[in-house]
Amino acid sequence: MFSRSYTNLVDLANGNLSALDYGGGGGGGGGNGAGGRPPRARRMQRTMTTPGTLAELDEERAGSVTSDVPSSLASDRLIVVANTLPVRCERRPDGRGWSFCWDEDSLLLHLRDGLPDDMEVLYVGSLRADVPSAEQDDVAQALLDRFRCVPAFLPKDVLDRFYHGFCKQTLWPLFHYMLPFTSDHGGRFDRSQWEAYVLANKLFSQRVIEVLNPEDDYIWIHDYHLLALPSFLRRRFNRLRIGFFLHSPFPSSELYRSLPVRDEILKSLLNCDLIGFHTFDYARHFLSCCSRMLGIEYQSKRGYIGLDYFGRTVGIKIMPVGINMTQLQTQIRLPDLEWRVAELRKQFDGKTVMLGVDDMDIFKGINLKVLAFEQMLRTHPKWQRKAVLVQIANPRGGGGKDLEEIQAEIDESCRRINAQFSRPGYVPVVIINRALSSVERMAYYTVAECVVVTAVRDGMNLTPYEYIVCRQGFPDLDGYGDDGPRRKSMLVVSEFIGCSPSLSGAIRVNPWNIDTTAEAMNESIALSENEKQLRHEKHYRYVSSHDVAYWSKSYIHDLERSCRDHFRRRCWGIGLGFGFRVVALDRNFKKLTVDSIVTDYKNSKSRVILLDYDGTLVPQTTINRIPNESVVKIMNALCDDKKNVVFIVSGRGRDSLEKWFSPCQDLGIAAEHGYFMRWTRDEQWQLNNQCSEFGWMQMAKPVMNLYTEATDGSYIETKESALVWHHQDADPGFGSSQAKEMLDHLESVLANEPVCVKSGQQIVEVKPQGVSKGFVAEKILSTLTENKRQADFVLCIGDDRSDEDMFEGIADIMRRSIVDPQTSLYACTVGQKPSKAKYYLDDTNDVLNMLEALADASEETDSQEDAEERTSIPDPE
């Protein structure tokens, strides 16, 4: 049974906060307690309780400053959403109430250091404690009051299937490159676990919405537990400012595509405004998945990467997280650390300590590290009796057959190495199978000559960062030189972890290669003192300047930039389930209504109607592209009106268009984007370009053939005036790459020819210069003006990039007075998407219905004129 909602949270969010002392002072371990930090003082924002979407409210509030001016970070609030809150919670010893304190090791707590001082931070997440339903409201109120935390209480069965099921058995292995080939190897997809995952994300969204002010708040969602959350929030508030950061790896598209709910998760993430990753590799894999599975390509502009998703630009942020320098430097000065370091120095006196600090799980490569250390002792016997590997293995809550097998392998390897190489006073491998406090861990960092990280896959791993700071900050560590204290450290890191790219002075290894890892371990402790010092200095400069405050400040800055246009554009949501998305378009962009255009149509005396063919009069998805009787009938009805000049303006060849529209005597056709043109069926075709030499085709075609042979699924379309290379049936990534290469190749080969090379929607086209639909529109309207039939009504409809030239062209014609100043101009695209047109129609059915209405209006006008003529004829008598 689900827990009660926090009925009092709305009042609390409006500022009705009161001191709460329940259960004998159960909140006594809060904000100002030992080790706690007080929350930043700032009023709680109001909660939006009006039903409906923000877009609807914005329309009612037209002209509001809030709607048009992006807000400043200093006046906004950040809601951080994660699986767990940065709060420790435990039952009081007397069993009456709960004690709370900040979790000082939580990244979520420290990200506040990079935010403006007056920016309030509110946390939403679950607690690491099982709170009875009868106490949940009181606990929620206390956490909100004293910690600005909103707990999400999940029913136990949902929690088990959500966290221990889908998160840990499906997402965690997959994101770490592990496929469930058998039921014992990774977790097979379980539909009930996915449903629990979605339900848990929905419950998190409800907690967020209860305290949300959609106009002022930024939402920052963290990690793979909440991949479905953006869809729930975006569906409720179309213009909400949402950021997401993934703290784990993102797998390559070849692995990710095995997930049965792959599209649902991608589409949910694309409801964010900014998606963050630790490394470019992780971001590249995500972008590849969007390209291969959703057909969405990214663009890079001025250093920023973005995905155009239904008019919204989804930003991609690449920024590895850092450590909390202030906290570490404070802990280094604790007296408790000094005596611990002294004890360890005594224990390892005369030894060279190599250190590993890892969670005990199957991806950390602890077994590979132990084997590499054994190999180093064998191949470099000088380190026997001198080098010691200390491995701290933090226990994990989970288990499983794979982990048991790895633990058994590690134990067996350690026994074998110690049995072979141990001597009195010397044990080569020391395994610590317990969780260490932060001070204990720092003591080991301080005495270690080298830290070794051999994870086979890891999101970030901050162990090397902490080690570097400890080696830098502990007094009297490495002695003094002429210019002050000397500091040195060495790192051997796996190339498969997130921090590896940022540690350029580390020795990077493939942990699966035991021999090279052993050599790297030997090199790390055998290097000269000066080399160790230089590498340490380089690393410390980076780690100290790229801390957690730098990371959060940079992320929030980019999130604000990504959301800058939210209140300047018209937004509405479409789609069901995880197919929901927000379409964002210019405020002047609106749907073309039949009533408005028919009125202007009837009042005009000289009309021009320009129509694209594919995707406008017939759907792009249909195989049979021949126009049906209804299309032909509508064309004839429009052409029968003597006030109309109607043209089909298409990229298709003239032969097919001529054949299909042969019943339409007065219909004009511009084929191959206007290279061929005729005004009626009985007229000869005109050439709209002076270029009649096509020798360039003999130069371009061999290049295209080369790429066609190398790109399976591609083909060449040969027109009379152009060559088009299609790659929509090729591999998405390879096809796009080949298209870019071909574009450069053709531009180089045809540099001195009178042609232009353009890329389009999965095509590369070579055509004569000056040929475009925009030129066709200008020619038709100019000809009418020369014949004293200046147009006072222009309708232009199309659906693809080539039609954008036509929309742009007729807008320029208005400025050049080629048409009547009072002309009714309707540039209309098909589909709700960004366009230079000011109007849109949803699909081809909408287009045909609108054209049929115009045809009916023509017939009605003709009937009225005939009646008037009959009335004006005098009676013979």
Side-chain angles (χ1 to χ4, degrees):
M1 182 176 180
F2 294 112
S3 62
R4 289 186 294 141
S5 179
Y6 324 124
T7 56
N8 56 349
L9 277 189
V10 171
D11 291 333
L12 289 170
N14 278 301
N16 300 327
L17 302 173
S18 59
L20 180 65
D21 186 14
Y22 62 93
N32 296 317
R37 76 171 65 178
R40 301 185 178 187
R42 187 174 181 264
R43 68 175 179 84
M44 203 71 167
Q45 298 285 353
R46 66 176 175 82
T47 299
M48 177 179 177
T49 56
T50 306
T53 64
L54 181 59
E56 293 167 351
L57 293 177
D58 185 68
E59 293 299 326
E60 297 171 6
R61 200 171 53 244
S64 166
V65 174
T66 308
S67 300
D68 297 322
V69 180
S71 54
S72 166
L73 278 175
S75 63
D76 293 323
R77 182 177 66 170
L78 178 66
I79 299 179
V80 177
V81 193
N83 181 47
T84 55
L85 292 169
V87 171
R88 298 185 188 275
C89 172
E90 60 182 31
R91 176 74 74 176
R92 289 176 60 87
D94 58 8
R96 301 170 56 195
W98 296 83
S99 295
F100 307 105
C101 65
W102 288 114
D103 181 359
E104 292 292 338
D105 292 331
S106 173
L107 170 70
L108 304 181
L109 182 65
H110 299 310
L111 65 78
R112 303 191 307 186
D113 295 342
L115 306 179
D117 290 337
D118 60 348
M119 186 178 194
E120 183 190 4
V121 179
L122 184 69
Y123 295 100
V124 178
S126 61
L127 286 169
R128 298 185 186 91
D130 185 12
V131 180
S133 58
E135 301 179 57
Q136 288 176 3
D137 283 347
D138 290 338
V139 168
Q141 184 173 350
L143 287 172
L144 182 62
D145 186 356
R146 302 177 181 182
F147 294 87
R148 295 296 187 265
C149 289
V150 179
F153 298 110
L154 302 182
K156 188 177 186 307
D157 63 323
V158 174
L159 176 63
D160 288 342
R161 288 182 290 130
F162 155 64
Y163 182 75
H164 300 292
F166 194 74
C167 287
K168 289 302 180 183
Q169 294 179 24
T170 300
L171 290 181
W172 178 258
L174 177 67
F175 280 25
H176 289 74
Y177 286 64
M178 184 177 177
L179 290 176
F181 292 115
T182 66
S183 57
D184 293 331
H185 186 75
R188 290 279 175 84
F189 178 78
D190 185 328
R191 178 64 61 176
S192 67
Q193 291 180 356
W194 163 246
E195 291 170 352
Y197 181 87
V198 173
L199 178 57
N201 277 250
K202 183 178 181 180
L203 294 175
F204 273 87
S205 74
Q206 292 171 353
R207 301 295 85 84
V208 172
I209 290 170
E210 286 174 354
V211 292
L212 175 66
N213 178 2
E215 288 184 334
D216 293 339
D217 292 345
Y218 287 87
I219 309 296
W220 191 358
I221 303 168
H222 289 264
D223 225 3
Y224 64 96
H225 313 88
L226 301 174
L227 296 170
L229 180 57
S231 277
F232 287 109
L233 295 176
R234 185 66 71 192
R235 175 181 290 277
R236 183 68 183 272
F237 302 107
N238 290 349
R239 301 185 189 179
L240 195 59
R241 297 173 289 193
I242 306 174
F244 180 91
F245 199 95
L246 183 66
H247 294 274
S248 75
F250 195 92
S252 72
S253 60
E254 291 304 310
L255 276 81
Y256 180 80
R257 71 198 308 175
S258 67
L259 184 64
V261 289
R262 61 191 190 183
D263 288 358
E264 289 87 335
I265 288 176
L266 288 179
K267 290 176 180 178
S268 179
L269 285 176
L270 290 173
N271 276 314
C272 296
D273 296 294
L274 184 66
I275 306 172
F277 300 91
H278 285 307
T279 72
F280 175 69
D281 273 350
Y282 303 159
R284 178 168 54 86
H285 293 159
F286 173 77
L287 295 171
S288 176
C289 288
C290 290
S291 172
R292 289 174 175 271
M293 294 162 212
L294 302 181
I296 302 171
E297 301 293 339
Y298 76 91
Q299 293 182 336
S300 182
K301 184 177 181 181
R302 295 183 178 178
Y304 294 106
I305 299 175
L307 291 158
D308 188 355
Y309 190 58
F310 293 94
R312 293 173 48 250
T313 299
V314 180
I316 302 298
K317 176 73 172 176
I318 302 167
M319 173 65 71
V321 71
I323 57 175
N324 189 301
M325 288 292 296
T326 304
Q327 181 191 30
L328 273 177
Q329 290 169 342
T330 300
Q331 291 176 340
I332 287 172
R333 292 190 289 269
L334 292 175
D336 192 29
L337 180 61
E338 286 192 41
W339 73 262
R340 290 183 184 278
V341 170
E343 287 293 317
L344 290 177
R345 281 176 169 171
K346 182 178 179 180
Q347 178 183 349
F348 297 110
D349 184 37
K351 308 295 188 300
T352 299
V353 177
M354 309 186 79
L355 178 66
V357 181
D358 305 278
D359 293 333
M360 178 56 79
D361 73 37
I362 60 177
F363 301 110
K364 299 303 181 183
I366 298 175
N367 52 333
L368 301 176
K369 185 188 309 180
V370 172
L371 293 175
F373 182 73
E374 178 184 27
Q375 179 69 7
M376 185 192 77
L377 294 181
R378 291 182 185 279
T379 55
H380 300 279
K382 64 180 179 180
W383 296 116
Q384 297 176 17
R385 302 192 183 189
K386 289 186 64 178
V388 176
L389 174 64
V390 177
Q391 176 62 53
I392 300 171
N394 302 315
R396 294 293 298 269
K401 183 178 178 181
D402 291 324
L403 184 57
E404 292 173 0
E405 291 176 352
I406 286 182
Q407 285 179 312
E409 180 185 338
I410 293 170
D411 292 341
E412 172 59 29
S413 297
C414 291
R415 282 195 295 269
R416 183 181 66 252
I417 296 169
N418 288 338
Q420 181 175 358
F421 296 104
S422 288
R423 298 292 184 269
Y426 173 68
V427 179
V429 181
V430 178
I431 296 288
I432 303 174
N433 287 307
R434 64 180 179 86
L436 271 60
S437 68
S438 57
V439 175
E440 289 179 290
R441 191 173 66 248
M442 293 173 68
Y444 277 100
Y445 285 147
T446 303
V447 301
E449 281 290 311
C450 175
V451 157
V452 184
V453 183
T454 54
V456 296
R457 189 67 59 179
D458 208 353
M460 185 59 191
N461 199 314
L462 296 175
T463 294
Y465 287 16
E466 293 178 348
Y467 166 64
I468 290 163
V469 175
C470 289
R471 294 289 291 183
Q472 174 71 20
F474 195 79
D476 191 28
L477 181 63
D478 298 318
Y480 286 80
D482 296 336
D483 54 352
R486 294 196 302 266
R487 297 286 185 259
K488 62 180 187 291
S489 62
M490 281 303 301
L491 293 168
V492 175
V493 298
S494 165
E495 62 191 47
F496 303 121
I497 63 176
C499 67
S500 175
S502 60
L503 297 172
S504 56
I507 302 176
R508 299 189 183 100
V509 296
N510 172 5
W512 298 103
N513 191 328
I514 302 300
D515 292 336
T516 58
T517 303
E519 289 302 314
M521 294 171 74
N522 168 65
E523 181 185 356
S524 68
I525 53 180
L527 281 174
S528 68
E529 298 298 299
N530 183 59
E531 181 68 19
K532 293 178 182 178
Q533 182 180 348
L534 291 174
R535 293 183 185 228
H536 169 80
E537 290 172 355
K538 184 176 186 179
H539 288 157
Y540 183 75
R541 281 195 300 271
Y542 176 84
V543 172
S544 60
S545 60
H546 292 73
D547 61 356
V548 67
Y550 178 87
W551 170 75
S552 62
K553 180 180 180 180
S554 177
Y555 184 90
I556 292 297
H557 177 269
D558 277 11
L559 179 59
E560 183 193 26
R561 180 186 55 80
S562 298
C563 301
R564 212 164 267 166
D565 291 335
H566 271 31
F567 295 99
R568 297 174 180 167
R569 314 192 77 180
R570 296 175 62 243
C571 300
W572 63 92
I574 59 175
L576 300 173
F578 283 100
F580 177 84
R581 64 272 189 197
V582 168
V583 177
L585 298 167
D586 189 271
R587 286 186 174 275
N588 296 322
F589 188 73
K590 55 188 177 181
K591 186 167 184 177
L592 182 58
T593 60
V594 172
D595 292 342
S596 63
I597 191 172
V598 166
T599 300
D600 287 339
Y601 182 84
K602 288 181 176 180
N603 294 331
S604 57
K605 299 186 181 302
S606 178
R607 313 180 189 113
V608 173
I609 301 174
L610 308 176
L611 303 171
D612 177 41
Y613 184 71
D614 294 282
T616 301
L617 297 180
V618 295
Q620 288 280 14
T621 54
T622 186
I623 296 177
N624 182 9
R625 297 296 178 90
I626 300 175
N628 57 36
E629 292 182 6
S630 176
V631 172
V632 173
K633 181 180 178 181
I634 292 172
M635 293 300 104
N636 277 326
L638 290 172
C639 292
D640 287 344
D641 190 329
K642 301 305 179 184
K643 297 177 182 178
N644 293 345
V645 173
V646 184
F647 263 83
I648 299 294
V649 185
S650 173
R652 282 189 172 272
R654 59 177 173 173
D655 291 340
S656 56
L657 293 173
E658 185 176 38
K659 178 181 178 181
W660 292 345
F661 288 100
S662 58
C664 303
Q665 180 174 349
D666 295 322
L667 178 66
I669 297 177
E672 298 192 17
H673 300 303
Y675 184 83
F676 298 105
M677 182 174 167
R678 73 177 192 191
W679 287 73
T680 65
R681 183 184 63 188
D682 299 330
E683 289 189 13
Q684 295 296 315
W685 288 98
Q686 304 172 11
L687 294 181
N688 281 333
N689 191 283
Q690 298 299 320
C691 176
S692 57
E693 294 293 331
F694 292 93
W696 56 266
M697 283 193 174
Q698 305 306 315
M699 301 168 64
K701 202 157 190 178
V703 175
M704 288 186 160
N705 283 331
L706 178 68
Y707 287 88
T708 302
E709 292 172 5
T711 312
D712 187 40
S714 66
Y715 65 93
I716 301 171
E717 178 188 1
T718 302
K719 300 180 180 180
E720 291 185 70
S721 67
L723 292 174
V724 186
W725 186 73
H726 297 261
H727 61 91
Q728 61 264 31
D729 295 327
D731 176 88
F734 186 55
S736 297
S737 174
Q738 291 288 79
K740 292 176 184 176
E741 289 290 331
M742 179 190 286
L743 189 71
D744 291 340
H745 196 163
L746 288 171
E747 285 179 343
S748 174
V749 170
L750 303 173
N752 298 320
E753 300 297 321
V755 296
C756 64
V757 185
K758 285 189 175 183
S759 62
Q761 191 68 26
Q762 297 179 323
I763 65 166
V764 175
E765 184 174 22
V766 186
K767 62 182 181 180
Q769 292 177 350
V771 174
S772 73
K773 291 185 179 182
F775 174 78
V776 173
E778 181 178 352
K779 182 177 180 64
I780 293 170
L781 293 168
S782 298
T783 301
L784 289 177
T785 300
E786 292 170 2
N787 294 333
K788 309 301 182 184
R789 280 191 60 188
Q790 192 175 44
D792 59 0
F793 177 94
V794 178
L795 172 62
C796 178
I797 310 178
D799 78 305
D800 63 19
R801 293 184 183 180
S802 63
D803 299 306
E804 296 296 316
D805 293 335
M806 190 159 53
F807 301 148
E808 188 176 23
I810 62 174
D812 185 58
I813 287 166
M814 286 286 291
R815 290 190 292 269
R816 291 160 52 192
S817 301
I818 295 177
V819 294
D820 189 279
Q822 303 302 318
T823 294
S824 300
L825 179 61
Y826 291 92
C828 179
T829 188
V830 181
Q832 301 175 9
K833 58 181 182 291
S835 173
K836 295 173 183 175
K838 289 188 176 181
Y839 298 93
Y840 74 90
L841 291 169
D842 287 327
D843 50 33
T844 55
N845 288 331
D846 268 6
V847 174
L848 294 178
N849 289 337
M850 188 270 297
L851 293 176
E852 190 172 19
L854 297 184
D856 291 343
S858 286
E859 292 178 0
E860 181 183 336
T861 302
D862 289 343
S863 299
Q864 291 176 353
E865 290 177 352
D866 290 343
E868 290 173 0
E869 288 180 7
R870 286 195 297 270
T871 303
S872 63
I873 297 175
D875 193 324
E877 298 179 359

